[in-house]
Amino acid sequence: MRIEEDVKLDYSDVLIRPKRSVLTSRKEVRVERNFKFRHGAKSWEGVPIIAANMDGVGTLSMMKSLAKHKMMTALHKHYEESQYEEIIDEYAFVSIGIKDSDIERLQQMAQTKSIRFVCIDVANGYTERFASVVSSVRNICPDSVIMAGNVVTGEMTEQLILSGADIVKVGIGPGSACTTRYKTGVGYPQLSAVMECADAAHGLNGLICADGGCTSPGDVAKAFGAGADFVMLGGMLAAHTESELESVIKDKKEYLEYYGMSSKKAMEKHSGGKADYRAAEGKEVLIPHRGDVENTIEEILGGIRSACTYVGAQKLKQLSKCTTFIRVNNQTNNVFGLPT
């Protein structure tokens, strides 16, 4: 046992210090980025925000709405294969786990369809099997862009990139519907995780996706400022019309039930129930119906553009180079009313 004395920070522990800028309007800020990938063929250009591969977030309806803004969606892995015909290839990840059945399913899909983006998703990316699965998927889909996670440290980020991942998904426990830190005591403050994993990935020409912990547009700006290439959002995009969830009427108000994919509800829905050897590591919460996701997208993109003007970044790509964080008393700006 040992204790690391270095201070680790979450988004709520810092603010971005403003700097002089020659920008005169938010309109001047370019939020699209162009990426070339270490392994995957072709380049990609768009707004590097990804809807999380969760029920109520990573839906086909969400994909269609976000694609209008050149934003991406990691589809949840519980769609029937026939439904993947609706995929907009440039803006959708096909999500899988690491079971043998997941790999077999991907192999079958790859025989009939060119898969542009693959998301390999597990709660714990530190198992030996996970890196092995990344290598296997790279062999099955040699030209695909592979995103894999989740991890929170530089050495495992490097391992996944060397195993065949183009993008490493960073975050353990920060999600608004996740209780991993509470149930297990395991985790890593998200801002520090993003900074450290980005440093490791970029040295190998890899990329990272900051996954979880954003409860406001300002948090998204902080993630990009910390070096994230992509930012994945769950709770901020949940409970919209595009969620494809049944509504609940309570006190004459409409709600949608948002839940983590390791929650008891998710396991009952997709796995036949919670196994007796594990604990549920996700929340189930009611969020007021927010209407179409369009308004939320405008708030997020508007916040990012404004952050860029405050520090003089003409392009989103420049934000991390222009960002200086200052430590503050731990505060939250949870404008979306997400659980904490």
Side-chain angles (χ1 to χ4, degrees):
M1 181 276 294
R2 66 189 184 93
I3 296 176
E4 293 187 5
E5 299 288 352
D6 293 346
V7 175
K8 305 298 180 182
L9 302 172
D10 270 317
Y11 296 135
S12 59
D13 294 316
V14 300
L15 289 171
I16 298 172
R17 191 182 72 186
K19 299 177 180 178
R20 289 187 177 183
S21 171
V22 298
L23 297 173
T24 59
S25 171
R26 295 173 179 84
K27 292 181 180 179
E28 299 176 40
V29 176
R30 176 178 169 81
V31 293
E32 295 86 3
R33 288 198 60 182
N34 185 285
F35 292 105
K36 293 183 179 180
F37 303 99
R38 176 184 168 109
H39 304 285
K42 301 181 182 178
S43 60
W44 179 86
E45 182 173 334
V47 179
I49 291 175
I50 307 173
N53 52 306
M54 305 170 69
D55 289 2
V57 182
T59 66
L60 289 167
S61 296
M62 187 70 71
M63 173 198 67
K64 293 171 184 176
S65 291
L66 266 57
K68 297 175 184 177
H69 296 269
K70 297 184 178 181
M71 295 164 64
M72 304 190 78
T73 298
L75 297 169
H76 67 71
K77 62 183 180 181
H78 303 294
Y79 280 115
E80 298 294 332
E81 187 172 340
S82 60
Q83 293 176 284
Y84 283 114
E85 295 300 322
E86 300 181 44
I87 284 181
I88 302 173
D89 288 335
E90 288 298 303
Y91 299 107
F93 282 85
V94 172
S95 299
I96 63 169
I98 61 171
K99 296 179 181 178
D100 290 340
S101 57
D102 292 311
I103 308 304
E104 292 170 3
R105 181 165 173 256
L106 182 68
Q107 285 178 314
Q108 293 175 355
M109 289 182 61
Q111 291 175 1
T112 59
K113 180 179 177 61
S114 175
I115 303 175
R116 181 80 172 88
F117 297 95
V118 179
C119 174
I120 312 172
D121 180 69
V122 293
N124 177 8
Y126 285 83
T127 64
E128 183 176 355
R129 175 170 171 76
F130 186 58
S132 176
V133 168
V134 172
S135 297
S136 296
V137 172
R138 174 54 63 198
N139 290 331
I140 296 168
C141 303
D143 296 326
S144 296
V145 174
I146 296 175
M147 177 167 64
N150 282 34
V151 299
V152 289
T153 53
E155 67 272 14
M156 202 61 201
T157 297
E158 293 169 343
Q159 176 64 59
L160 294 179
I161 291 170
L162 294 174
S163 297
D166 297 288
I167 308 167
V168 175
K169 200 145 66 78
V170 175
I172 292 179
S176 60
C178 181
T179 60
T180 294
R181 294 178 181 180
Y182 173 76
K183 290 290 182 71
T184 70
V186 175
Y188 208 97
Q190 185 69 349
L191 181 79
S192 292
V194 169
M195 294 175 69
E196 294 170 23
C197 292
D199 182 62
H202 296 162
L204 294 174
N205 293 323
L207 306 170
I208 70 157
C209 175
D211 177 19
C214 292
T215 63
S216 67
D219 289 342
V220 181
K222 292 174 187 178
F224 283 124
D229 303 290
F230 294 83
V231 176
M232 178 171 279
L233 301 178
M236 287 180 67
L237 298 179
H240 291 90
T241 304
E242 292 83 356
S243 294
E244 298 181 4
L245 294 173
E246 293 184 9
S247 64
V248 176
I249 304 299
K250 183 178 180 181
D251 298 328
K252 298 182 179 180
K253 295 182 179 180
E254 184 180 9
Y255 296 83
L256 294 180
E257 187 173 33
Y258 175 55
Y259 51 88
M261 296 309 289
S262 291
S263 66
K264 182 178 179 181
K265 182 178 180 67
M267 287 187 278
E268 289 175 345
K269 183 176 180 180
H270 300 298
S271 304
K274 182 181 74 68
D276 58 8
Y277 58 83
R278 64 173 298 178
E281 295 178 25
K283 295 180 182 178
E284 303 166 27
V285 294
L286 292 178
I287 301 178
H289 191 285
R290 298 172 178 163
D292 293 344
V293 76
E294 182 72 21
N295 291 334
T296 295
I297 293 172
E298 290 179 1
E299 287 292 311
I300 293 170
L301 294 180
I304 294 170
R305 290 190 181 96
S306 189
C308 288
T309 63
Y310 271 110
V311 298
Q314 293 180 315
K315 301 177 182 179
L316 179 58
K317 180 180 180 180
Q318 299 171 344
L319 182 56
S320 62
K321 296 179 180 179
C322 297
T323 293
T324 299
F325 289 115
I326 55 173
R327 293 278 302 279
V328 297
N329 292 331
N330 191 286
Q331 299 175 354
T332 60
N333 185 25
N334 191 348
V335 297
F336 289 88
L338 299 177
T340 58

